[in-house]
Amino acid sequence: MSALLIGSLDEAEYAAWRAHLTRALPAGESLVLADGPHDRDAVEIAFVANPPHGTLAHYRNLRFVQSLWAGVDRLLSDPALPDVPIARLVDPDLTQAMVETVVAHVTALHRQAPAYARQQARREWKQRAQPLARECRVGILGFGELGAAAARALAALSFPVSGWSRSPRSVDGVACLSGDQGIEHLLAQADILVNLLPLTPETTGFLDRDLFAHLPQGARLVNVARGAHLVEDDLLAALDAGQLEHAILDVFHEEPLPSDHPFWTHERINVFPHVAAYSAPESAARIAAGNVAAFRAGQPVAGLVDRERGY
Ligand code: NDP
Ligand code: OXD
């Protein structure tokens, strides 16, 4: 029985995943590489990192797909994706990285780092008011593995936090909101809005002019989910109009962000090159291999994707 490693990975990434997966795989499973010699009909498992569309359709005995990424939007958009169970990556190390990133961005915005950076560019020495975290309300869109963990960490720092999900959820110390009514309530109270939604047909273009209009004037945005959540022109207009004060963006419609894109030079936007939380082969390979063992044993796998829902 073979497990295939396939994806849009450079040589070093391929080598790291190969080494860690080989070590972690259960006995009886052997790892083969998409660009190496292998018998396609022997492949029952695929470890995938954004594989080119159409490629998985060549494996007619495929039984289980384990994504090495947390987000599966690109994978699910493959029209030839085989109809087998798919798991996304749920890795405590990735979650920890995302928590650290969200806390860093939210606290930087709260402590007015962008305003001081603009002052520095002008050589301006001016001390601003310093409200405390308890006075800065944070709204988190997407209240799953990553959103709920970030919410707990921010609440522990005394930020009043609200989280929004599709179905009702409950997290101690956090206002948990859901559905259409929940979103209006969350937006009206978000001095800083963090996006951690999965990209689905329902959430594409969600961060638009209408949504920004529901935020308090001068709110700030952190997008660490997917670029296609954001309507870029609406963001620029909201920043120009002062409806939004600042945006920290980790993800973009086109990645790498083209060098002539206006975001690069906008003084109210910080650009990060999709680094909020990597999948680290050291930890992720163990989790991916554990899911293969669970699948083989007929036990529940972690992060099973609901293809209807799109995440
Ligand atoms: P989860 O599937 O665990 O959580 C998704 C959350 O979004 C759930 O709370 C879900 O609601 C909610 N949701 C989905 N659709 C809707 C909707 N239409 N309306 C309201 N709520 C909705 O995902 P993760 O937390 O693991 O990951 C979130 C995303 O983060 C990934 O899909 C990926 O795009 C992005 N990501 C970005 C990284 C980066 O480096 N920038 C790294 C890793 C991930 P419910 O609870 O009801 O299901
Ligand atoms: C992911 C990502 O989805 O890095 O894992 O964006």
Side-chain angles (χ1 to χ4, degrees), residues 80-129:
L81 187 64
D83 186 14
V84 298
I86 295 171
R88 64 195 185 82
L89 182 66
V90 180
D91 176 350
D93 280 9
L94 183 144
T95 302
Q96 175 65 20
M98 184 58 86
V99 167
E100 291 177 12
T101 296
V102 170
V103 168
H105 290 336
V106 168
T107 48
L109 289 169
H110 167 59
R111 303 304 299 170
Q112 307 182 68
Y116 285 116
R118 289 195 296 274
Q119 282 184 207
Q120 182 176 348
R122 299 193 294 270
R123 296 166 189 253
E124 182 185 2
W125 183 275
K126 178 180 142 195
Q127 292 164 338
R128 295 169 169 265

Side-chain angles (χ1 to χ4, degrees), residues 22 53 137 308:
T22 303
H53 281 186
R137 300 161 301 175
E308 278 295 302

Side-chain angles (χ1 to χ4, degrees), residues 280-301:
E282 296 81 349
S283 56
R286 275 198 310 276
I287 286 156
N291 254 358
V292 170
F295 176 77
R296 292 285 194 203
Q299 288 164 1
V301 297

Side-chain angles (χ1 to χ4, degrees), residues 40-101:
R40 284 183 175 166
D41 288 351
V43 168
E44 292 188 346
I45 307 286
F47 295 111
V48 305
N50 285 336
H53 281 186
T55 44
L56 289 176
H58 297 132
Y59 296 88
R60 59 183 183 162
N61 292 322
L62 197 61
R63 296 183 54 206
F64 176 60
V65 174
Q66 171 67 53
S67 172
L68 302 175
W69 282 49
V72 286
D73 43 287
R74 253 190 73 192
L75 181 63
L76 295 186
S77 68
D78 179 351
L81 187 64
D83 186 14
V84 298
I86 295 171
R88 64 195 185 82
L89 182 66
V90 180
D91 176 350
D93 280 9
L94 183 144
T95 302
Q96 175 65 20
M98 184 58 86
V99 167
E100 291 177 12
T101 296

Side-chain angles (χ1 to χ4, degrees), residues 2-306:
S2 301
L4 175 75
L5 170 59
I6 183 167
S8 311
L9 299 164
D10 67 27
E11 219 174 292
E13 290 168 331
Y14 232 101
W17 282 110
R18 179 187 189 173
H20 287 281
L21 284 168
T22 303
R23 211 168 299 146
L25 268 178
E29 309 275 356
S30 67
L31 191 73
V32 296
L33 305 183
D35 54 4
H38 62 279
D39 172 7
R40 284 183 175 166
D41 288 351
V43 168
E44 292 188 346
I45 307 286
F47 295 111
V48 305
N50 285 336
H53 281 186
T55 44
L56 289 176
H58 297 132
Y59 296 88
R60 59 183 183 162
N61 292 322
L62 197 61
R63 296 183 54 206
F64 176 60
V65 174
Q66 171 67 53
S67 172
L68 302 175
W69 282 49
V72 286
D73 43 287
R74 253 190 73 192
L75 181 63
L76 295 186
S77 68
D78 179 351
L81 187 64
D83 186 14
V84 298
I86 295 171
R88 64 195 185 82
L89 182 66
V90 180
D91 176 350
D93 280 9
L94 183 144
T95 302
Q96 175 65 20
M98 184 58 86
V99 167
E100 291 177 12
T101 296
V102 170
V103 168
H105 290 336
V106 168
T107 48
L109 289 169
H110 167 59
R111 303 304 299 170
Q112 307 182 68
Y116 285 116
R118 289 195 296 274
Q119 282 184 207
Q120 182 176 348
R122 299 193 294 270
R123 296 166 189 253
E124 182 185 2
W125 183 275
K126 178 180 142 195
Q127 292 164 338
R128 295 169 169 265
Q130 56 161 15
L132 295 176
R134 64 173 181 253
E135 298 162 74
C136 176
R137 300 161 301 175
V138 181
I140 302 191
L141 302 176
F143 207 44
E145 286 296 324
L146 303 178
R152 283 191 198 93
L154 291 167
L157 290 171
S158 303
F159 289 98
V161 183
S162 310
W164 186 63
S165 50
R166 239 161 67 123
S167 47
R169 291 173 62 104
S170 157
V171 171
D172 280 352
V174 177
C176 301
L177 303 163
S178 59
D180 289 348
Q181 284 180 335
I183 186 68
E184 295 211 356
H185 194 66
L186 179 137
L187 294 175
Q189 302 195 54
D191 300 313
I192 298 178
L193 183 70
V194 178
N195 179 36
L196 270 168
L197 286 165
L199 185 67
T200 68
E202 277 176 42
T203 65
T204 299
F206 196 65
L207 303 175
D208 67 357
R209 171 208 305 243
D210 182 50
L211 178 141
F212 299 145
H214 283 82
L215 291 167
Q217 187 161 23
R220 286 139 301 160
L221 172 70
V222 177
N223 186 16
V224 280
R226 285 292 181 262
H229 285 127
L230 177 67
V231 180
E232 295 187 341
D233 285 345
D234 288 3
L235 172 65
L236 292 171
L239 289 168
D240 283 352
Q243 177 58 22
L244 287 185
E245 191 196 272
H246 200 89
I248 296 183
L249 306 177
D250 187 75
V251 284
F252 303 90
H253 279 256
E254 189 180 343
E255 296 181 5
L257 187 65
S259 59
D260 59 351
H261 197 287
F263 286 175
W264 280 115
T265 49
H266 200 294
E267 66 164 8
R268 292 184 180 272
I269 293 178
N270 289 123
V271 168
F272 286 79
H274 200 141
V275 289
Y278 300 140
S279 301
E282 296 81 349
S283 56
R286 275 198 310 276
I287 286 156
N291 254 358
V292 170
F295 176 77
R296 292 285 194 203
Q299 288 164 1
V301 297
L304 190 66
V305 170
D306 179 334

